Amino acid sequence: MSPPILPDLAVDIRNLNKVYAGSNKRPPKQALFDVTLAVPRGSFFGLLGPNGAGKSTMINIMAGLVKRTSGTVKLWHSDCETDERQARCAIGVVPQELNLDPFFTPRETMELQAGLYGVPKSERRTEEILNAVGLLDKADAYSRTLSGGMRRRLLVAKAMVHTPPILVLDEPTAGVDVELRQTLWKYIRELNARGTTILLTTHYLEEAQELCDQIAIINHGRVIVHDTTANLLNHLDNKSIIFIVVTPLTTVPPALAGFNATLPKPTEIHINYRPSLSAMGEIIEAVRRAGVTIADIRTNEVDLEDIFLQLTCSTPPQTAA
């Protein structure tokens, strides 16, 4: 028997539109505009955007909770509507909401979820998964007694009972402390290393920058950028360098006027520059030629938050057709 053919794309979204019907004299609301998005198999993919951008609508369509208006959404070869059963088996979703039965234990929650997906008892990995997310010692405690962070980790465990090839994490670390967040990400990284495709939405942009190999940003229902994380970080051709000087200054040395230098403090020279036009070594040499003795140098790099704010704040809202 030949092995199954694995898709190149774990998630393949083409020209996806969603219009919510109007009510109480309110007009229809278009939440998604011709969204096309390709998530490669095995990637750690970040889907970012401000509140109300359309991220949850897209995830709910993938999960089968919302019907699309037009377009196609395929998960692991399977269309979310025409091949709904296979598509749902291909995805595990960790929602923002803590939707757990307070009177079920983690073990009972996991067993029930596995049963709903038709996982035979001999193939269930309840204890393995609970141990991986640090909840094995709480396996028989009522869910209502768990902390918020523990409940969040239980949602991750619940989404993994049927070993889906795609795991969607919708704000998974909201309300989780630093230690538990590190434990959770360690497990998610291990899943990704073993081949699980991870689709992450988060408002913690430093997490997305560290974890994701590709990122798409959605705003006002449209994908405004999709690229590798490395390329996105190079998107803004802007860096800053701070020189701590030994002798306090009263004005910026004239030799540095061409570098747009400022003097916010007598002992600090700030220079913003474009790496594509000026090399850092050239700037350092110019400071030395100006007769300034340098005590220390600090640099500020562009991060994902800078890019996110620039793109989302400059993109005008769209209206429904």
Side-chain angles (χ1 to χ4, degrees):
M1 182 177 179
S2 59
I5 299 175
L6 299 178
D8 292 329
L9 299 179
V11 179
D12 187 6
I13 299 175
R14 306 282 181 94
N15 304 116
L16 178 62
N17 289 275
K18 175 59 187 177
V19 179
Y20 290 101
S23 61
N24 297 327
K25 297 183 179 179
R26 293 181 179 177
K29 169 69 175 179
Q30 185 157 359
L32 297 174
F33 295 79
D34 290 319
V35 169
T36 294
L37 195 64
V39 179
R41 171 173 51 87
S43 65
F44 204 129
F45 195 96
L47 180 63
L48 310 180
N51 291 330
K55 303 186 303 295
S56 293
T57 294
M58 191 185 307
I59 290 172
N60 287 335
I61 291 173
M62 293 167 57
L65 301 176
V66 171
K67 295 294 184 181
R68 66 197 178 210
T69 301
S70 64
T72 60
V73 179
K74 291 185 178 180
L75 305 176
W76 216 257
H77 290 311
S78 303
D79 188 281
C80 285
E81 290 188 13
T82 61
D83 196 3
E84 186 176 7
R85 183 180 181 86
Q86 289 300 317
R88 290 198 181 190
C89 287
I91 190 173
V93 179
V94 181
Q96 291 187 41
E97 299 80 14
L98 294 172
N99 56 353
L100 296 168
D101 191 313
F103 297 101
F104 273 42
T105 67
R107 189 188 306 278
E108 291 168 340
T109 298
M110 297 285 286
E111 289 293 313
L112 175 61
Q113 187 77 355
L116 291 173
Y117 275 96
V119 181
K121 287 192 175 183
S122 61
E123 298 178 14
R124 294 179 188 177
R125 303 180 297 121
T126 295
E127 291 199 356
E128 174 191 335
I129 298 173
L130 288 177
N131 182 58
V133 298
L135 289 177
L136 188 56
D137 60 334
K138 299 290 185 180
D140 298 308
Y142 286 124
S143 294
R144 67 176 184 271
T145 66
L146 301 179
S147 68
M150 291 178 179
R151 294 181 192 183
R152 184 73 59 185
R153 284 184 286 159
L154 180 54
L155 288 178
V156 175
K158 182 181 173 185
M160 291 304 301
V161 296
H162 57 299
T163 319
I166 305 166
L167 181 63
V168 178
L169 304 169
D170 194 2
E171 299 290 344
T173 55
V176 178
D177 64 43
V178 174
E179 183 178 358
L180 296 183
R181 187 178 299 169
Q182 291 176 345
T183 301
L184 180 61
W185 286 132
K186 180 182 177 183
Y187 177 58
I188 298 302
R189 278 191 173 111
E190 290 172 355
L191 286 175
N192 182 240
R194 294 200 296 264
T196 302
T197 302
I198 309 296
L199 179 59
L200 168 69
T201 77
T202 181
H203 284 104
Y204 297 110
L205 299 185
E206 67 279 6
E207 286 185 345
Q209 182 172 328
E210 180 183 353
L211 294 165
C212 300
D213 45 61
Q214 291 193 31
I215 287 174
I217 298 177
I218 184 172
N219 196 27
H220 302 299
R222 297 179 185 269
V223 174
I224 57 176
V225 67
H226 172 202
D227 210 335
T228 64
T229 305
N231 284 345
L232 276 177
L233 292 175
N234 291 328
H235 180 80
L236 292 182
D237 186 22
N238 183 34
K239 289 186 179 181
S240 64
I241 183 169
I242 302 170
F243 294 95
I244 311 299
V245 301
V246 173
T247 304
L249 302 171
T250 56
T251 60
V252 174
L256 300 179
F259 290 100
N260 194 29
T262 60
L263 193 71
K265 297 179 181 179
T267 56
E268 291 187 7
I269 299 174
H270 290 207
I271 295 177
N272 292 320
Y273 70 101
R274 297 177 62 183
S276 63
L277 300 178
S278 303
M280 184 183 295
E282 176 187 351
I283 296 172
I284 294 173
E285 184 60 30
V287 173
R288 287 174 175 161
R289 286 201 305 267
V292 176
T293 303
I294 302 170
D296 195 11
I297 297 175
R298 298 199 302 265
T299 60
N300 290 329
E301 300 282 345
V302 171
D303 61 18
L304 190 58
E305 183 174 352
D306 298 319
I307 297 165
F308 179 86
L309 290 174
Q310 185 194 64
L311 291 173
T312 57
C313 291
S314 63
T315 305
Q318 305 289 337
T319 56

